[in-house]
Amino acid sequence: THMYNIYCKLILLMWLMMCVVDKSAFVSSAQQGEVESGTRRKIKRLLSFQRYCHASRLLRGLVPHTPGSLHLLDDDYLGQAAHMLSKVGTWNFDIFLFDRLTNGNSLVTLMCHLFNVYGLIHHFQLDMVKLHRFLGMVQEDYHSQNPYHNAVHAADVTQAMYCYLKEPKLAEQLSPLDVFLGLMAAAAHDVDHPGVNQPFLIKTRHHLASLYQNTSVLESHHWRSTVGMLRESGLLSHLPADMSQDMEQQLGSLILATDISRQNEFLLTFREHLDNQDLDLQLASHRHFILQIALKCADVCNPCRVWELSRQWSERVCEEFYRQGDLERKFDLEISPLCNQQADSVPSIQIGFISYIVEPLFEEWHRFTEPSLLSQTMMGHLHKNKARWNKYLSVCTMLLEQ
Ligand SMILES: *[C@@H]1O[C@H](CO)[C@@H](O)[C@H](O)[C@H]1NC(C)=O
Ligand SMILES: [Zn+2]
């Protein structure tokens, strides 16, 4: 791999030299600027290809974001953040920018805004101080050192969930309770994620694995942590006990649905409902099922975003996998699938993820929405992004075979 690495760089270097030499030899000076910028573009593109061949060391140090470089009280940034919130329902919403403008408070800011939009504070007679305390705890309990499973991912999933709740097929049918639970589950669904996966926790005999008996270990932890914070903040303490208990249970059922190993179970049921056309959104149980599916979609919707956003999520998730792989190597454990930086490239991981997880789920969602404008947009991005990763992959393979 090391030799291949050097080889790759050599080929790249030769190609760059050829580019520069043959272009400048016969181009008039008037065209020079244009060609130069064209060449620079080509070089940039090639560098980005090469980046994905083994890539992510280059990203190391770039990916972890350090909230706090902006001042909380900077009116200009907050003004821009407020302006962004006026477009929070648009699919190309840039959550990374929003997180910077809110000084790393994207999750709290977004949730407060959406609760206001839906009038949930009034409807459930929520105490603003308790709500802030609860949301602050949730945001804090995400690990900002995780390249992927951090509070920005939670905010991103919440924003996607909001877009799905607004789907014409769904919006009219949803009760305030549905909306409340949908948003809460999205915001908290990965809370206190350790940045490693369940097999890692099992094989290192982590206490969470034995606590939850090796099944839905992370998802159970996200849910129980959320319940703990709900009770500690007293957010629901004014409600009748059976109501707050029901809310906790429903939150659990939503968060546990994000366990990817249960994807087939959900997909088969969803497909069956669509084939039989027997979904009745007047029924609370059917609405709950659709909320589970919507949350699952929101959780894996990265490849359905516009390329510039999608690409950043891809790099982040792979970086998190590679870090787990590095830990496994360091402790002489077997390296988990997708976590080997030398063997698993960003494009190949993304193509697998899209083909086996994202496409099957979104094809059914697309059907469910009959298909909505948003669904069509998402499918468009999904296909374009997949084609792009395939192109990167073939360039990597070509370089490898030369
Ligand atoms: C969980 O997995 C570990 C490692 O495979 C095993 O030793 C343990 O008995 C399992 N625990 C349960 C409750 O299945
Ligand atoms: Zn997630």
Side-chain angles (χ1 to χ4, degrees):
T1 314
H2 185 64
M3 281 308 290
Y4 162 56
N5 209 334
I6 293 170
Y7 193 63
C8 246
K9 282 186 183 135
L10 259 176
I11 289 176
L12 180 75
L13 200 67
M14 279 160 58
W15 189 85
L16 293 182
M17 283 165 69
M18 274 161 53
C19 256
V20 175
V21 171
D22 80 19
K23 288 282 159 54
S24 56
F26 55 80
V27 176
S28 76
S29 61
Q31 291 170 303
Q32 195 83 42
E34 202 179 307
V35 170
E36 247 171 36
S37 77
T39 308
R40 217 174 299 134
R41 250 199 320 277
K42 258 188 220 150
I43 292 171
K44 240 178 109 182
R45 207 178 309 143
L46 201 81
L47 281 171
S48 79
F49 278 139
Q50 205 238 3
R51 214 152 68 105
Y52 290 123
C53 294
H54 350 239
S56 84
R57 295 286 162 190
L58 287 168
L59 298 165
R60 209 151 276 201
L62 287 177
V63 169
H65 45 284
T66 41
S69 55
L70 305 176
H71 295 289
L72 194 61
L73 294 174
D74 193 315
D75 288 344
D76 190 37
Y77 289 124
L78 288 183
Q80 289 181 56
H83 176 68
M84 283 190 76
L85 277 178
S86 68
K87 297 177 184 172
V88 68
T90 55
W91 189 244
N92 58 5
F93 188 83
D94 185 345
I95 198 73
F96 298 111
L97 175 60
F98 185 67
D99 193 63
R100 289 196 295 275
L101 293 174
T102 55
N103 195 32
N105 285 298
S106 52
L107 186 57
V108 173
T109 317
L110 183 65
M111 280 292 276
C112 283
H113 176 75
L114 295 178
F115 270 43
N116 275 313
V117 166
Y118 280 111
L120 295 173
I121 295 160
H122 175 77
H123 184 88
F124 292 104
Q125 293 290 296
L126 301 176
D127 178 332
M128 280 301 280
V129 175
K130 290 178 180 174
L131 178 63
H132 263 273
R133 199 183 303 145
F134 170 75
L135 292 175
M137 279 195 273
V138 172
Q139 186 179 270
E140 278 292 293
D141 268 20
Y142 278 95
H143 300 197
S144 58
Q145 325 86 279
N146 287 347
Y148 186 84
H149 287 105
N150 52 47
V152 188
H153 166 63
D156 180 54
V157 172
T158 307
Q159 192 271 338
M161 190 67 172
Y162 173 59
C163 294
Y164 300 157
L165 297 178
K166 286 198 311 130
E167 281 286 3
K169 189 81 200 289
L170 209 50
E172 299 290 301
Q173 315 282 338
L174 293 175
S175 69
L177 181 61
D178 297 328
V179 171
F180 176 76
L181 293 171
L183 295 176
M184 290 281 277
H189 83 282
D190 271 331
V191 75
D192 199 30
H193 196 295
V196 291
N197 62 15
Q198 171 173 296
F200 185 91
L201 296 178
I202 293 175
K203 70 185 171 193
T204 56
R205 306 192 184 285
H206 194 278
H207 74 274
L208 288 175
S210 51
L211 182 60
Y212 298 114
Q213 308 196 330
N214 301 350
T215 34
S216 298
V217 172
L218 284 165
E219 294 76 16
S220 302
H221 178 59
H222 304 318
W223 171 42
R224 293 317 301 177
S225 304
T226 307
V227 169
M229 290 183 281
L230 273 174
R231 294 182 186 172
E232 194 181 326
S233 66
L235 182 65
L236 306 177
S237 62
H238 62 294
L239 300 174
D242 58 339
M243 188 173 173
S244 58
Q245 265 168 30
D246 174 57
M247 286 174 159
E248 289 178 1
Q249 287 306 314
Q250 289 206 53
L251 276 178
S253 158
L254 292 174
I255 293 175
L256 288 172
T258 62
D259 182 348
I260 274 302
S261 67
R262 292 175 62 200
Q263 162 105 342
N264 260 349
E265 167 196 330
F266 281 98
L267 205 53
L268 288 177
T269 312
F270 194 26
R271 212 170 268 153
E272 212 171 279
H273 277 309
L274 294 174
D275 288 344
N276 299 337
Q277 300 187 315
D278 63 359
L279 277 170
D280 177 4
L281 296 179
Q282 310 272 32
L283 295 176
S285 62
H286 283 196
R287 291 201 306 277
H288 182 78
F289 177 71
I290 292 302
L291 284 181
Q292 288 178 312
I293 298 289
L295 180 59
K296 287 173 61 55
C297 287
D299 195 23
V300 298
C301 74
N302 295 160
C304 302
R305 298 278 192 180
V306 61
W307 169 255
E308 204 36 53
L309 297 172
S310 185
R311 195 203 94 237
Q312 294 184 61
W313 290 119
S314 305
E315 289 171 359
R316 283 163 182 267
V317 82
C318 291
E319 175 64 16
E320 198 168 298
F321 290 165
Y322 295 153
R323 284 190 192 183
Q324 177 178 324
D326 290 350
L327 271 178
E328 289 166 336
R329 199 173 293 115
K330 187 170 153 193
F331 292 106
D332 249 348
L333 300 163
E334 196 184 332
I335 298 179
S336 298
L338 312 182
C339 297
N340 189 346
Q341 172 138 235
Q342 268 83 49
D344 309 302
S345 68
V346 179
S348 66
I349 292 174
Q350 287 307 308
I351 289 162
F353 177 57
I354 291 173
S355 307
Y356 295 107
I357 308 282
V358 185
E359 270 175 349
L361 184 60
F362 276 89
E363 271 159 19
E364 302 308 328
W365 181 257
H366 190 63
R367 259 170 92 194
F368 168 71
T369 62
E370 294 187 327
S372 67
L373 228 53
L374 173 58
S375 274
Q376 292 171 46
T377 304
M378 291 195 299
M379 294 310 269
H381 288 314
L382 183 60
H383 294 141
K384 263 196 255 166
N385 292 338
K386 186 182 183 186
R388 194 141 175 178
W389 287 123
N390 264 316
K391 206 172 72 186
Y392 283 146
L393 192 63
S394 61
V395 169
C396 291
T397 313
M398 196 184 74
L399 282 171
L400 190 62
E401 281 166 357
Q402 263 174 2

